[in-house]
């Protein structure tokens, strides 16, 4: 069975500092991995995905994520945080070897302080 | 990019009322759409997968007679909450995969519908 874990409920960072939002996953086959962001009373917006190829994936709004197969992780990063990055972030995994159902993590709330 | 439109964004109604939520893919065809429910400060719970022209696939524990799903065209899926009660109050979000639903594509989400049953 596939699963995804976001170990931190909340991440606090000062504006201008680098940020990391952690995600680990478990699938039986090869994973498709995604990051989404949600602002209050809105649906989720797609940030980036890893399907195959380079382990470092670049996405929207300056975000990037690194796929680490040995550690089964897909942490979201940004070199310099903005106050406007404050939102709820979801990691998601899809097992491409069967089912193709997407499983979402519990979410991590990011607070960027000015 | 792929846009999913969800309507209405907010509904307040009396207990016992049925409420219909529409989900449209505006610039792409979506053979498959997904309906989620999100409780405050929690992740998305997949309720059902809506397939164009066929019956929806419901997740375990979701009452199909309570949450009626219709996916009559490649751009429209509807969720009807029948005889809604206060415990049905929640944030409902629809989603569709871009590029005809290819499995390596991200999901595109509507802005959600906040349903409040009095």
């Amino acid at each position: 069975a596939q699963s995804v874990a976001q170990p931190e409920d909340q991440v606090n960072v000062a504006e201008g500092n680098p940020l990391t939002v952690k995600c680990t996953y478990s699938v039986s086959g090869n994973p498709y991995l995604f990051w989404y962001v949600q602002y209050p009373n809105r649906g989720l917006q797609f940030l980036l995905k890893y399907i195959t190829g380079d382990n470092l994936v670049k996405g929207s709004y300056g975000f990037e994520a690194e796929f680490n197969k040995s550690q089964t992780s897909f942490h979201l990063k940004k070199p310099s945080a903005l106050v406007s990055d404050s939102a709820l972030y979801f990691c998601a995994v899809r097992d491409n070897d069967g089912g193709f159902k997407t499983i979402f993590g519990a979410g991590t709330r990011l607070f960027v302080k000015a | 990019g792929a846009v999913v439109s969800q309507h209405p964004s907010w509904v307040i109604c009396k207990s016992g009322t049925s409420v219909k939520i529409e989900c449209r893919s505006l610039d792409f065809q979506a053979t498959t759409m997904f309906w989620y429910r999100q409780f405050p400060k929690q992740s998305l719970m997949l309720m059902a997968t809506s397939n164009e022209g066929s019956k929806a696939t419901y997740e375990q524990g979701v009452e199909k007679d309570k949450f009626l799903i219709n996916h009559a065209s490649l751009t429209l899926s509807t969720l009807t909450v029948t005889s809604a009660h206060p415990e049905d109050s929640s944030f409902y979000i629809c989603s569709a995969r871009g590029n005809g639903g290819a499995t390596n594509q991200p999901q595109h989400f509507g802005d959600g519908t906040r349903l409040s049953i009095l």
Side-chain angles (χ1 to χ4, degrees), chain A residues 32 34 36 38 41-46 49 51 88 90 94 100-102 104-107 109, chain B residues 10 36 38 41-44 46 59 91 93 97 102-107 109-112 114:
Chain A
Y32 292 158
F34 306 85
Y36 295 86
Q38 184 181 32
N41 294 310
R42 301 290 298 274
L44 279 66
Q45 295 178 35
F46 168 69
K49 66 178 180 180
I51 302 300
L88 187 57
F90 290 98
R94 189 180 303 155
F100 299 108
K101 187 180 292 186
T102 303
F104 289 84
R109 191 164 294 279
Chain B
W10 198 293
Y36 294 87
Q38 186 179 30
K41 299 184 179 180
Q42 293 191 27
S43 188
L44 284 74
L46 180 64
E59 295 300 301
F91 193 55
I93 309 175
R97 280 196 203 127
T103 54
N104 63 353
Q105 294 299 308
Q107 289 177 227
F109 289 82
D111 276 345
R114 185 158 301 283

Side-chain angles (χ1 to χ4, degrees), chain A residues 14-18 79-82 112-113:
Chain A
E15 188 174 33
N17 284 0
S80 178
L82 300 172
V112 181
K113 187 184 294 185

